[in-house]
Amino acid sequence: MAHMQALTFYFDPISPYAYLAFEQLPEALAGLSVNVAYKPVLFGAMLSANGQKGPAEIAGKREWTYRQVLWQAQHLGIPMAMPSAHPFNPLALLRGLLQTANARGEVNRYCAELALRHVWASSTTDVGLDPNDPERLQAIGAALHQHMQQRGDTLQTLDQAKALLRANTDEALAAGVFGVPTVVVYPDVQPAAQSGQAAAALQTTPYVFWGLDALPMLGDCLRGSPWFAGASWQAMAQVPVGIARQ
């Protein structure tokens, strides 16, 4: 039996890049034996933990982000429409999605797709609908619940969903995740180690691939590129800081 590599895809539906990466992920992983765990997180909490602003909170970068993702979507042949307002509060959508999660905070690909397309594919024009419109939230909630009933699975309570969202976000931060989308993987390919102690440490250090444009890099790693077994990956964590802004 072929070895199946475990990956974790961390995402927040608020991110247009998460939507595009989700849609492109099957192509990036084509021909590989992988098991992908889809884990919703709260991007805003990650930004706060790292003292950062999101792209949509920075003038100039905000407009560029929207133009770029719409261009990327048409370039890749992915239907996409901006929500009627962005950024928006994703908590209601995230909690509803996580009511479909298992005890590890993982949702299946179908449910993740419903949530992401709810935000980013609500119209055939460039400007779509409000993700937090009460009727739309009720409709996606009903679709998620119906899916779970058809599978014979039990829904998480709202309090359980809230706890899973916090746990997923904390787990991602602990793994070195700083943004979405991010794929975390413990690949079989390990950088060369100088001692048994160093080797043991490397085997538990996840590789973190951030962003839509990291998908080719992820695929290269999983296909056994020797670059990931060399010193370059680990050495980048040791580059000295030349100046720190106050």
Side-chain angles (χ1 to χ4, degrees):
M1 181 179 295
H3 171 71
M4 184 170 289
Q5 179 67 59
L7 315 176
T8 303
F9 182 87
Y10 292 103
F11 71 100
D12 183 333
I14 199 172
S15 168
Y17 297 105
Y19 166 65
L20 293 174
F22 176 87
E23 297 289 344
Q24 284 295 105
L25 193 61
E27 180 178 325
L29 301 178
L32 295 169
S33 182
V34 295
N35 180 38
V36 183
Y38 296 94
K39 290 200 167 188
V41 295
L42 184 60
F43 180 42
M46 289 184 166
L47 293 173
S48 296
N50 289 305
Q52 297 175 311
K53 288 184 176 182
E57 298 175 290
I58 302 171
K61 190 173 186 178
R62 181 174 188 262
E63 303 94 284
W64 165 253
T65 297
Y66 300 156
R67 290 168 182 147
Q68 185 192 39
V69 296
L70 286 174
W71 177 85
Q72 287 178 310
Q74 61 84 30
H75 182 70
L76 295 168
I78 299 172
M80 187 177 199
M82 285 294 303
S84 61
H86 190 275
F88 62 93
N89 187 340
L91 278 173
L93 181 58
L94 281 165
R95 290 166 179 171
L97 175 59
L98 276 159
Q99 286 192 272
T100 71
N102 60 23
R104 297 182 299 276
E106 301 164 356
V107 301
N108 65 37
R109 185 170 172 90
Y110 175 78
C111 292
E113 178 183 276
L114 282 181
L116 286 161
R117 292 184 179 180
H118 170 84
V119 178
W120 298 106
S122 65
S123 172
T124 57
T125 65
D126 283 347
V127 179
L129 305 176
D130 179 2
N132 280 333
D133 176 80
E135 291 186 2
R136 295 193 69 227
L137 283 174
Q138 185 177 13
I140 190 174
L144 290 168
H145 290 195
Q146 182 182 33
H147 172 70
M148 294 294 284
Q149 288 177 342
Q150 290 172 343
R151 289 170 54 92
D153 292 334
T154 302
L155 286 165
Q156 303 284 350
T157 67
L158 184 57
D159 285 343
Q160 288 171 329
K162 292 177 180 179
L164 287 171
L165 181 58
R166 289 192 294 269
N168 282 358
T169 305
D170 289 344
E171 174 189 283
L173 287 167
V177 177
F178 52 87
V180 290
T182 294
V183 179
V184 172
V185 57
Y186 293 83
D188 294 329
V189 178
Q190 294 291 343
Q194 299 302 314
S195 68
Q197 183 178 4
L202 291 173
Q203 289 169 4
T204 60
T205 302
Y207 286 146
V208 176
F209 297 92
W210 169 60
L212 170 67
D213 54 359
L215 291 183
M217 189 178 181
L218 167 67
D220 201 37
C221 177
L222 293 174
R223 291 180 175 88
S225 167
W227 186 84
F228 293 90
S232 295
W233 181 281
Q234 293 295 331
M236 293 305 98
Q238 308 305 322
V239 175
V241 175
I243 185 172
R245 292 189 298 144
Q246 301 298 319

